[in-house]
Structures are given as structure tokens and as C-alpha cells.
Amino acid sequence: VQFVESGGGLVQSGGSLRLSCEVSGSIFRLYAMAWYRRAPGKWRESVASISDSGRTSYADAVKGRFTISRDNAINTLYLQLNSLKPEDTAVYYCNTDPERDNWWGQGTQVIVSS
């Protein structure tokens, strides 16, 4: 299994980005998935998750601003980031929920300037 994240970039505070995660293999639809992030000097944390049936949950820090979704037909996970804040600056990763250590991808960098 391979995860390929994309869509990150540099954005001003208050801006938006849409992250994508393409998942190789045919197992995508069977797993709950999540987006994680690692900010500079901090541990990696889960920010949003989505079950195989589409039920979502969010960390308090991003609730109401981020939206996770999935398209099982094309094995792709999404994260819409709105109203971005400088504290959202991090490398964002996708993985299963709970995560599988051997399946981490390279992530995609999000930088929010104030």
C-alpha cells in the first residue's frame, strides 16, 4: 500500500487549500482513513478521520474549518482546509485510522503566513 499526498503550499492566514491523498491498491474502501499533521517541534497528531461508511470526526483545533471526504471509486482521500491559521503550518499525512507505521507517505507541506 502506498499513500501519495499532494496539494500543500504557502497560503496567507484565512486562506484555503485542498489536500489529496491517492492510495494504491484495492483496499482503500475497506479502511477508516485519517489525516495527520506534524508541526515543527511537535508530535504528529490526528486532525480528521472518516470511516469506511463516511462518518467523520475532527480534532477540536480544526472543527468547523477542515472537511475530510473520500472517493472510494478513485481511491482518494481529501482534506479541505478553510480559514487557515499560522498554527496550521505542518506537514500533512494520510494513513489509515488507526495508523499503520509502515504505510506513511512523504506528506505534503502546508505553510500559513500571518
Side-chain angles (χ1 to χ4, degrees), residues 85-106:
K85 304 175 181 180
E87 52 263 44
D88 295 318
T89 294
V91 179
Y92 286 73
Y93 304 85
C94 64
N95 204 320
T96 54
D97 180 24
E99 70 270 24
R100 284 160 172 80
D101 287 340
N102 293 335
W103 290 1
W104 292 110
Q106 294 300 308

Side-chain angles (χ1 to χ4, degrees), residues 39-56:
K42 296 187 178 181
W43 296 103
R44 184 157 43 204
E45 61 176 349
S46 173
V47 296
S49 63
I50 185 167
S51 71
D52 58 343
S53 61
R55 186 174 65 251
T56 60

